[in-house]
């Protein structure tokens, strides 16, 4: 496949390398505080993630540049033990081999600085694909038969990734649903299963969340992250009486069944459990906070708003990750932060709108984001229209109300720090579509709305305008520049955005709305024609979460800095991982070593899924990204 043609050329310095700076200097998340040096953050010790994918003119081999790599690092590529590179590759982290095929083996080695590799025996073997994708076989559960005798098929739903066994590459964690329900809909659902898989399809474990955890987008928010710094990811989620962990141990009462006649679970014990990522064994289980208490105190009396859950991972001390679990956002809102150390969960703080004041009620979204918005090197939780500081105190509250979609990142590169783009359900609303400074909520621009704005997206898709463009689903559905200027009456799909084709602009990840409905796709916005042009149709796949059209996961899973897209196959017998077939001259650290992006991958499965963003601007006329200020746990 031909190399992607960039619509806007980058500076020669960026093409040469986008790594710069000195470890400990610069700041991923915005304005640097001169009074406090940035601490290094614990991050995953990843391998090179070498992948070889067939393209029209041979094989494309790509690999990771790590956040701990030196600026001058170069690489050699070997095919079948023979060195292909005369000089070390320093201007990119990919190579096209015109003579290569899927039957060849490839290795990438770090250059010794003298124009030769260290030898293929010291290299890292590539994952060689036969297609543009890898199918990871998954163990589909048997159909579930409900209390009324109706039978429902299990479908693979949201996924996440983590290094579960500490070997430097990612494993997959997958949620299974049968007859999943939105909280507003009554009805019985099948037990939720959580699986873990190696990329060769080996199943590591299965957790059965049991009868007392309902299936649907708002119930099970699972965090996959190395919470204790041992080099292996844990898995944390809400559990209940009857949950069976990955080694067969039952949590609570195995015989309890708290479902009412409408299928809701409105009584019984609730727990928070951290599971071992490699075995699925429960490591620590505590009472879920806050308890549901009086169901009607959350906004209704039938079980809708009481079970609206969110979750995230945040570096609350700026150094090591903490777990944040949340309940409620339509009225009462509660967030609780924990550290997981030495095998135990320890509560750090609680934010409760009942104690903080009614002005904090109803400000949450169906998703959240995490990042250091105020430049103190510690993460805040951007909880929709309000932001909670790293210590659990409110940082600010815009009082713009509930919404369905928000995006936190460096969206306006000529402004210091991060910005947050939100769309709101409350109407009428003077700031129904809004771009704000993420540090203090200062309004940059807004558009008044009179309807529920259900979708919104931010990404740099047009090189003629600085920063990210933004658009929403509404009767005012325009394409805005980062400065709030209307630049088009047309816009692409309002779903996910993905870095895919090799230029710094972002592409659009969506699914087919017409036949064949639900098939995953990737499009590129063409500003000249004001239309989207299809780059990938993922034939044989199916998207998740009804009209949301989400992939199972989008993340920089392997290869260079471009992202992979994961959809389930139509029959839910495999997760299909697509990787880019395009060569690129842009060299950049793996996005997984940008903490804002990595945390975005962790919370991506939460409720109404949204794509991750980076703490630095990627797009036309981008500056050199800062050196990542991280450390990794030795493998």
């Amino acid at each position: 496949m031909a190399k992607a043609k960039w619509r806007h050329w980058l500076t020669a310095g960026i093409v040469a390398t986008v790594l710069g700076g000195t470890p400990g200097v610069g700041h991923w998340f915005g304005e640097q505080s001169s009074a406090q040096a940035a601490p290094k953050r614990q991050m995953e010790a990843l391998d090179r993630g070498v992948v070889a994918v067939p393209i029209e003119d041979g094989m494309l081999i790509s690999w990771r540049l790590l956040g701990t790599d030196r600026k001058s690092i170069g690489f050699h590529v070997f095919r079948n033990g023979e060195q292909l590179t005369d000089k070390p590759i320093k201007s990119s982290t990919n190579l096209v081999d015109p003579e290569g095929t899927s039957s060849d083996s490839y290795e990438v080695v770090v250059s010794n600085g003298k124009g030769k590799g260290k030898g293929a025996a010291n290299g890292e073997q590539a994952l060689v694909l036969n297609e543009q994708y890898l199918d990871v076989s998954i163990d589909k559960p048997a159909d579930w038969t409900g209390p009324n005798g109706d039978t429902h098929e299990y479908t693979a739903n949201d996924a996440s990734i983590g290094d579960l066994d500490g070997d430097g590459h990612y494993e997959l964690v997958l949620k299974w649903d049968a007859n999943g329900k939105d909280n507003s809909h009554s009805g019985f659902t099948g037990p939720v299963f959580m699986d873990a898989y190696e990329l060769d399809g080996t199943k590591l474990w299965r957790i059965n969340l049991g009868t007392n955890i309902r299936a649907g987008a708002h119930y099970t928010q699972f965090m996959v992250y190395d919470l204790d710094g041992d080099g292996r990811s844990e898995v944390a989620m809400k559990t209940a009486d009857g949950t069976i962990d990955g080694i067969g141990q039952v949590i609570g009462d195995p015989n309890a069944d708290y479902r009412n006649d409408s299928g809701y679970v409105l009584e019984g014990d609730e727990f928070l459990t951290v599971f071992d990522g490699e075995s699925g064994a429960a490591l620590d289980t505590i009472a879920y906070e806050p308890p549901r208490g009086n169901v009607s105190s959350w906004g209704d009396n039938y079980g809708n708003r009481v079970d609206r859950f969110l979750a995230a991972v945040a570096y609350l001390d700026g150094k090591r990750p903490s777990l944040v679990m949340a309940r409620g956002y339509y009225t009462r809102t509660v967030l609780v932060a924990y550290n997981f150390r030495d095998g135990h969960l320890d509560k750090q703080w609680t934010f409760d709108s009942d104690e903080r004041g009614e002005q904090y009620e109803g400000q949450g979204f169906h998703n959240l984001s995490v990042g250091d918005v105020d430049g103190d090197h510690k993460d805040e939780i951007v909880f929709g229209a309000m932001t909670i500081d790293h210590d659990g105190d409110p940082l600010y509250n815009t009082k713009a109300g509930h919404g369905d979609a928000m995006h936190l990142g460096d969206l306006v590169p000529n402004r210091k720090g991060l910005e947050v783009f939100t769309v709101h359900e409350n109407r009428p609303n003077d700031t129904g579509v809004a771009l704000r400074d993420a540090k203090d909520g200062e309004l940059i621009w807004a558009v008044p709305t009179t309807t529920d704005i259900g979708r919104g997206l931010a990404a740099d898709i047009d090189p003629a305008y600085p920063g990210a463009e933004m658009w929403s689903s509404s009767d005012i559905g325009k394409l805005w520049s980062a400065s709030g200027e209307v630049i088009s009456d047309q816009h692409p799909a309002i779903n996910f955005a993905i870095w895919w084709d090799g230029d710094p602009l972002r592409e659009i990840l969506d699914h087919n709305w017409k036949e064949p409905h639900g098939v995953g796709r990737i499009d590129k916005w063409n500003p000249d024609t004001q239309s989207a042009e299809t780059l990938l149709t993922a034939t044989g796949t199916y998207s998740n979460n009804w009209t949301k059209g989400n992939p199972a996961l989008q993340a920089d899973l392997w290869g260079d800095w471009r992202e992979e897209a994961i959809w389930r196959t139509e029959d839910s017998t495999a997760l299909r991982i697509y990787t880019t077939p395009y060569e690129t001259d842009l060299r950049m650290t793996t996005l997984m070593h940008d903490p804002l992006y990595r945390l975005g991958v962790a919370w991506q499965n939460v409720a109404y899924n949204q794509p991750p963003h980076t703490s630095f601007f990627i797009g036309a006329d981008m500056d050199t990204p800062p050196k990542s200020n991280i450390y990794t746990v030795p493998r």
Side-chain angles (χ1 to χ4, degrees):
M1 183 172 292
K3 175 180 166 183
K5 301 298 182 181
W6 291 14
R7 294 188 53 82
H8 198 89
W9 293 105
L10 297 173
T11 62
I14 296 174
V15 172
T17 177
V18 298
L19 279 178
T22 303
V25 178
H27 188 241
W28 282 96
F29 293 103
E31 186 175 359
Q32 172 78 23
S33 170
S34 59
Q36 181 183 7
K40 287 182 177 291
R41 293 189 173 216
Q42 169 201 313
M43 297 293 286
E44 292 158 315
L46 300 173
D47 61 14
R48 293 289 169 191
V50 187
V51 64
V53 57
I55 57 177
E56 289 183 359
D57 51 357
M59 296 290 289
L60 173 67
I61 304 94
S62 69
W63 57 94
R64 291 188 185 108
L65 189 67
L66 303 175
T68 52
D69 283 336
R70 66 183 186 274
K71 179 180 178 180
S72 60
I73 194 170
F75 302 91
H76 286 287
V77 179
F78 290 76
R79 185 213 310 132
N80 303 329
E82 297 295 324
Q83 186 168 319
L84 299 179
T85 47
D86 294 329
K87 297 180 179 179
I89 299 174
K90 295 185 176 183
S91 61
S92 70
T93 48
N94 60 186
L95 173 73
V96 170
D97 177 15
E99 299 179 5
T101 70
S102 293
S103 62
D104 292 316
S105 63
Y106 289 93
E107 291 170 293
V108 171
V109 302
V110 175
S111 168
N112 63 8
K114 298 180 181 180
K116 294 182 179 180
K118 292 181 178 179
N122 297 312
E124 185 171 313
Q125 289 278 351
L127 171 65
V128 181
L129 304 182
N130 295 317
E131 306 284 349
Q132 194 188 333
Y133 57 80
L134 173 70
D135 274 351
V136 179
S137 297
I138 52 180
D139 181 16
K140 184 176 180 178
D143 293 352
W144 169 75
T145 301
N148 299 324
D150 51 334
T151 299
H152 297 274
E153 183 180 10
Y154 271 92
T155 55
N157 191 251
D158 293 331
S160 192
I161 55 173
D163 184 0
L164 302 181
D165 52 12
D167 62 359
H169 63 262
Y170 287 119
E171 285 76 42
L172 292 162
V173 177
L174 172 67
K175 178 166 76 83
W176 291 96
D177 283 353
N179 198 34
K181 297 289 185 180
D182 185 87
N183 299 45
S184 61
H185 297 166
S186 63
F188 291 90
T189 72
V192 174
F193 295 109
M194 303 294 305
D195 287 357
Y197 296 93
E198 299 278 4
L199 294 186
D200 64 2
T202 300
K203 186 171 76 171
L204 300 178
W205 46 257
R206 169 166 288 171
I207 295 168
N208 181 348
L209 291 182
T211 300
N212 298 305
I213 296 290
R214 206 166 183 243
H218 300 287
Y219 295 99
T220 296
Q221 323 299 349
F222 57 100
M223 293 295 102
V224 183
Y225 214 86
D226 181 8
L227 297 171
D228 59 2
D230 67 352
R232 300 186 299 113
S233 291
E234 288 75 41
V235 183
M237 70 193 85
K238 182 176 178 287
T239 57
D241 284 325
T243 294
I244 305 172
D245 75 4
I247 60 172
Q249 296 178 331
V250 180
I251 295 172
D253 182 353
N255 300 313
D257 185 348
Y258 299 114
R259 295 173 297 176
N260 65 20
D261 291 341
S262 297
Y264 289 101
V265 180
L266 302 182
E267 59 182 39
D269 290 334
E270 302 174 285
F271 306 115
L272 172 63
T273 302
V274 175
F275 297 91
D276 181 81
E278 189 168 15
S279 69
L283 299 175
D284 195 23
T285 296
I286 60 175
Y288 192 90
E289 292 192 34
R292 64 174 68 88
N294 187 342
V295 170
S296 61
S297 68
W298 298 91
D300 59 62
N301 61 8
Y302 69 96
N304 179 3
R305 288 165 169 79
V306 66
D307 279 354
R308 298 283 180 162
F309 298 101
L310 300 175
V313 173
Y315 290 74
L316 300 175
D317 65 358
K319 301 175 184 178
R320 298 182 67 185
S322 298
L323 178 67
V324 180
M325 306 299 291
R327 182 178 216 148
Y329 41 74
Y330 282 113
T331 48
R332 185 185 178 194
T333 297
V334 183
L335 293 83
V336 186
Y338 302 89
N339 283 345
F340 181 71
R341 309 283 188 262
D342 301 320
H344 298 287
L345 283 162
D346 295 311
K347 185 167 66 174
Q348 303 300 297
W349 51 253
T350 299
F351 173 93
D352 190 340
S353 62
D354 274 2
E355 298 174 358
R356 295 289 184 166
E358 63 181 10
Q359 68 270 30
Y360 297 107
E361 295 180 352
Q363 302 303 315
F365 278 33
H366 292 300
N367 40 73
L368 45 61
S369 192
V370 175
D372 174 15
V373 303
D374 58 6
D376 65 355
H377 315 303
K378 301 173 183 179
D379 284 342
E380 285 71 47
I381 296 89
V382 182
F383 200 77
M386 66 179 180
T387 294
I388 308 302
D389 209 349
H390 66 274
D391 57 5
D393 288 335
L395 185 64
Y396 62 84
N397 181 14
T398 70
K399 301 181 181 179
H402 169 69
D404 285 0
M406 56 170 289
H407 301 275
L408 173 71
D410 188 3
L411 307 178
V412 189
N414 60 3
R415 291 179 60 95
K416 289 184 178 180
L418 306 177
E419 293 78 34
V420 58
F421 177 65
T422 57
V423 298
H424 295 266
E425 183 173 312
N426 293 13
R427 66 269 194 192
N429 196 327
D430 289 340
T431 57
V433 175
L435 180 68
R436 296 179 183 271
D437 191 313
K439 178 171 67 174
D440 54 14
E442 176 189 354
L443 190 65
I444 300 172
W445 58 264
V447 179
T449 58
T450 58
T451 59
D452 175 356
I453 312 302
R455 291 172 180 255
L457 189 55
D460 189 13
I461 60 173
D462 189 333
Y465 299 90
E469 286 69 50
M470 297 159 214
W471 58 105
S472 72
S473 60
S474 69
D475 53 3
I476 54 163
K478 313 287 185 182
L479 184 64
W480 294 283
S481 71
S483 64
E485 174 189 0
V486 175
I487 60 177
S488 177
D489 289 334
Q490 306 297 318
H491 60 70
I494 315 168
N495 200 342
F496 272 45
I498 183 170
W499 285 292
W500 181 255
D501 71 351
D503 69 25
L505 301 177
R506 218 167 185 190
E507 285 66 57
I508 308 302
L509 187 152
D510 196 24
H511 70 161
N512 282 354
W513 292 91
K514 298 181 180 179
E515 294 298 328
H517 178 72
V519 171
R521 61 186 296 161
I522 294 175
D523 297 333
K524 188 173 186 67
W525 181 249
N526 186 331
D528 296 331
T529 63
Q530 300 290 287
S531 62
E533 300 171 354
T534 299
L535 300 181
L536 170 71
T537 300
T539 304
T541 67
Y542 206 83
S543 60
N544 282 340
N545 303 323
W546 300 286
T547 61
K548 302 297 185 295
N550 305 135
L553 183 72
Q554 169 190 318
D556 182 9
L557 180 61
W558 57 44
D560 58 34
W561 58 274
R562 268 86 59 80
E563 299 171 278
E564 278 64 50
I566 308 177
W567 288 279
R568 61 183 170 100
T569 56
E570 288 179 301
D571 58 2
S572 284
T573 60
L575 291 178
R576 182 164 292 176
I577 307 174
Y578 278 86
T579 193
T580 182
Y582 297 95
E583 185 184 10
T584 181
D585 290 330
L586 179 55
R587 170 164 143 154
M588 189 152 38
T589 297
T590 173
L591 302 186
M592 300 299 277
H593 275 172
D594 173 14
L596 183 70
Y597 181 91
R598 181 64 185 92
L599 296 177
V601 171
W603 56 245
Q604 187 182 144
N605 68 79
V606 170
Y608 289 179
N609 310 28
Q610 300 294 323
H613 297 274
T614 53
S615 64
F616 58 94
F617 177 71
I618 301 178
D621 292 326
M622 63 184 285
D623 291 330
T624 301
K627 172 72 175 177
S628 55
N629 194 38
I630 64 171
Y631 73 92
T632 60
V633 178
R635 286 190 274 120

